[in-house]
Amino acid sequence: MELTKEQLAFFDTFGFIKFSGLLKADIAWITEEFEAVFPMFEEKHDGSRRTMIVPFVDQREQLCSLVDDARIAGIARSLLGDDFNYMGSDGNYYTGDTGWHRDGENRARRHIKIALYLDTLDGSNGALRVIPGSHRLDDQFGIEVRQVSKSQAALGIAGPDVPAVALDVVPGDVLVFDHNLFHASFGGSTHRRMFTLNLCERFKSEALEELRAYVLLHSHYRREHYYGSAMLRSAGPARMVHLEQVDAACGDYAERTKDLPQLPLKALI
Ligand SMILES: O=C(O)CCC(=O)C(=O)O
């Protein structure tokens, strides 16, 4: 699958794109696999706060295959180039609201998130909200829109009242957005299911120290490797193209993450 020039222009302009029903035919096994990950860890989601598992798809070989899937890889290749990097994944039971934020401020390369919500959601019950165009960090709007992260104080409006697009979803829809895009969600239940794949353009050779810092910053937990073992174990040559740069950057990863908490844990945002 390759994005059309209109889809690429839409993403460049607004910073997100929705693919309705893209994984509809596969959503039964995807949901089963999603549900199978959580019992692998001690903590049970009790609805009192978000439960997040990182890395997520890396826990199950079948979920890992999403990185190879022609639809997912096609989106990634179109937006990031043939040698895109797989940058990890998180799986969540969300509880309640997520305030306005960007996932990063990346100027050197494009970082995207592919998000699958496994429940039917609209703006009233926790659908992802995005502020179109807010990924353009350095234009006037991209600078001023930062105020939404303290919207009450700066703009006199509560988070849910910030003008935005709510991306209604049914299971099988695929949302893709630039990490630089402001996003949030409001009104969700105590058991909103969602997982992500993070992907980016390959780091330039002069930015490999930055990559090493990135994988440390995003480790969240003490780990042997940035990737879960199922991800590397089940990788064929095509997938390895998307793993090799991070793999090489991991080096003494276990040592570098040894002071972080260990999964299983409930993690706060
Ligand atoms: O669905 C949500 O509550 C927020 C998702 C989000 O912030 C993210 O994946 O970065």
Side-chain angles (χ1 to χ4, degrees), residues 50 90 92 94-103 113-115 117 121 126-129 175 177 179 181 183-186 188 192-196 198 269:
R50 173 186 181 185
D90 58 84
N92 303 280
Y94 275 103
T95 293
D97 299 342
T98 303
W100 289 106
H101 66 287
R102 287 172 161 144
D103 286 345
K113 181 169 275 184
I114 298 188
Y117 286 87
L121 300 173
L128 187 74
R129 299 183 190 200
L175 304 182
F177 60 94
H179 276 198
L181 190 76
H183 57 285
S185 80
F186 298 98
R192 204 161 43 93
R193 299 170 299 170
M194 177 265 217
F195 72 96
T196 68
N198 291 291
I269 299 171

Side-chain angles (χ1 to χ4, degrees), residues 35-225:
E35 298 289 356
V37 175
F38 289 87
M40 294 167 73
F41 299 91
E42 270 167 24
E43 287 284 347
K44 299 283 166 275
H45 180 72
D46 64 7
S48 65
R49 58 179 179 162
R50 173 186 181 185
T51 299
M52 174 174 72
I53 293 177
V54 180
F56 188 74
V57 301
D58 301 46
Q59 309 295 341
R60 311 272 305 177
E61 288 193 12
Q62 208 178 348
L63 287 175
C64 291
S65 73
L66 287 170
V67 177
D68 314 322
D69 183 279
R71 295 157 292 186
I72 299 294
I75 292 169
R77 270 198 296 272
S78 298
L79 291 172
L80 307 170
D82 288 345
D83 57 355
F84 69 85
N85 284 342
Y86 167 64
M87 297 300 288
S89 147
D90 58 84
N92 303 280
Y93 274 101
Y94 275 103
T95 293
D97 299 342
T98 303
W100 289 106
H101 66 287
R102 287 172 161 144
D103 286 345
E105 294 210 350
N106 302 294
R107 290 179 174 79
R109 75 201 73 75
R110 180 181 270 168
H111 288 248
I112 65 168
K113 181 169 275 184
I114 298 188
L116 271 77
Y117 286 87
L118 302 180
D119 301 291
T120 297
L121 300 173
D122 61 29
S124 70
N125 67 351
L128 187 74
R129 299 183 190 200
V130 297
I131 302 182
S134 59
H135 64 305
R136 292 147 65 142
L137 295 178
D138 297 318
D139 72 16
Q140 195 60 25
F141 178 64
I143 293 166
E144 289 176 0
V145 75
R146 288 188 193 138
Q147 299 176 97
V148 299
S149 57
K150 43 177 180 16
S151 64
Q152 193 65 57
L155 304 167
I157 48 169
D161 298 328
V162 168
V165 173
L167 299 174
D168 297 357
V169 279
V170 296
D173 292 351
V174 173
L175 304 182
V176 184
F177 60 94
D178 191 309
H179 276 198
N180 294 348
L181 190 76
F182 265 104
H183 57 285
S185 80
F186 298 98
S189 75
T190 55
H191 288 74
R192 204 161 43 93
R193 299 170 299 170
M194 177 265 217
F195 72 96
T196 68
L197 296 170
N198 291 291
L199 308 161
C200 74
E201 288 178 284
R202 187 164 284 235
F203 281 62
K204 294 205 163 54
S205 52
E206 61 273 18
L208 293 180
E209 267 314 307
E210 194 191 333
L211 175 57
R212 273 172 63 78
Y214 186 103
V215 294
L216 194 57
L217 185 69
H218 291 84
S219 58
H220 295 278
Y221 304 109
R222 185 186 314 170
R223 304 197 223 167
E224 290 300 308
H225 196 285

